[in-house]
Amino acid sequence: MTTYLKSELFRITKIKLFYFLALATVLTTLCIGFFFKSIARVQDFTIYGNHYLYACLMLLLVGFYLIYPFLITGHISKSQPLNYQIISNDILPKNIFLTDILLSSLIAFTYLIIFYLSSSVFARIFFQMNNQLTQETAYITELNYLQMMGVILLLIFTSISLLYGLQSITQNKIAATGIFIFISYIIPLIIAQLRMVSPFFNLIGNFLPLIQAFTFYRGESNFLSFLLVNLIWILLTTLIFNKKFVQQFI
């Protein structure tokens, strides 16, 4: 098992896309900084670094965070023949599944750290910070920004467990990605609209991680409920897909 883990870590270091994704993450936050700096001159109010951080947060929440599960699991998950080869070396199928999810989560955690640090640095380089203003539209304090990074991290972990599981049992990354987008993004968007007019859909929305992330940001729910919903999703998807994955090799 130790040898397998070392070989996976070595394989990850050879994936050039991961280095490009780190650079793209920094460049994305830099471009947002340049954009806000360019429009600051024509605004009739002062743009603080907190407004810039709000823009970075909204970019993640509206779907940018999904890029990490897409690209990471797409390169971590393996073909069926390769999995058979690994199992022939006395590696249990469940260990392959759980190791890949763990490594994918660690890589995603690294990228989110890069996003948070680069955006925080650019916020102070390009703008002045003001954490004393009252909460208003397009504004967030540095502490709230850090808290929301934790929320997004949980969203990414939940997405990885679902997407990797779908890829593992379907062996079709395109089909798995389509199903994943429908479950984790399209359905929550639809429910988010319907929950305003229906108590039933409002109840359903309480069990969808993306909706819970937005309600937590708006102060309509607490972090404990958001954490619980994500842990349930992670636990269920991991147990169900791990079982299905193992059955393929029996």
Side-chain angles (χ1 to χ4, degrees), residues 224-242:
L224 183 59
S225 62
F226 173 78
L227 176 64
L228 183 60
V229 166
N230 279 271
L231 289 179
I232 291 174
W233 272 82
I234 292 173
L235 182 62
L236 288 179
T237 53
T238 300
L239 289 177
I240 294 172
F241 288 127
N242 189 21

Side-chain angles (χ1 to χ4, degrees), residues 35-48 51:
F35 172 74
F36 268 73
K37 191 68 175 179
S38 66
I39 66 174
R41 306 184 187 94
V42 297
Q43 300 300 315
D44 56 0
F45 63 93
T46 302
I47 292 183
Y48 292 103
H51 297 99

Side-chain angles (χ1 to χ4, degrees), residues 90 110 119 158 208 220 239:
D90 298 326
T110 301
S119 59
T158 303
L208 299 177
E220 299 173 6
L239 289 177

Side-chain angles (χ1 to χ4, degrees), residues 166-250:
L166 289 169
Q167 290 175 345
S168 298
I169 65 172
T170 62
Q171 289 297 308
N172 187 322
K173 294 180 180 179
I174 296 178
T177 300
I179 297 172
F180 168 76
I181 293 176
F182 183 73
I183 294 175
S184 63
Y185 196 73
I186 302 300
I187 290 180
L189 288 181
I190 296 173
I191 298 297
Q193 302 302 317
L194 296 176
R195 66 191 293 265
M196 302 298 178
V197 296
S198 170
F200 172 75
F201 288 110
N202 184 47
L203 177 63
I204 297 297
N206 292 332
F207 297 96
L208 299 177
L210 184 58
I211 291 180
Q212 279 290 299
F214 277 101
T215 57
F216 171 74
Y217 173 71
R218 293 196 298 262
E220 299 173 6
S221 63
N222 56 54
F223 182 76
L224 183 59
S225 62
F226 173 78
L227 176 64
L228 183 60
V229 166
N230 279 271
L231 289 179
I232 291 174
W233 272 82
I234 292 173
L235 182 62
L236 288 179
T237 53
T238 300
L239 289 177
I240 294 172
F241 288 127
N242 189 21
K243 182 178 180 180
K244 295 291 185 180
F245 180 76
V246 172
Q247 289 176 347
Q248 297 180 43
F249 303 97
I250 297 177

Side-chain angles (χ1 to χ4, degrees), residues 24-35:
T25 296
V26 175
L27 290 178
T28 298
T29 57
L30 180 62
C31 288
I32 298 174
F34 277 132
F35 172 74

Side-chain angles (χ1 to χ4, degrees), residues 90-105:
D90 298 326
I91 304 297
L92 296 177
K94 67 176 182 180
N95 289 338
I96 296 176
F97 186 92
L98 295 175
T99 299
D100 286 354
I101 285 184
L102 177 61
L103 290 176
S104 297
S105 299

Side-chain angles (χ1 to χ4, degrees), residues 1-12 76-78 82-83 85-87 89-101 103 164 245:
M1 185 61 191
T2 303
T3 302
Y4 169 68
L5 185 57
K6 289 181 179 178
S7 65
E8 282 298 288
L9 290 173
F10 177 77
R11 183 174 72 89
I12 289 172
I76 292 296
S77 60
K78 307 172 187 65
L82 182 56
N83 282 326
Q85 184 178 349
I86 295 172
I87 293 171
N89 293 320
D90 298 326
I91 304 297
L92 296 177
K94 67 176 182 180
N95 289 338
I96 296 176
F97 186 92
L98 295 175
T99 299
D100 286 354
I101 285 184
L103 290 176
Y164 178 82
F245 180 76

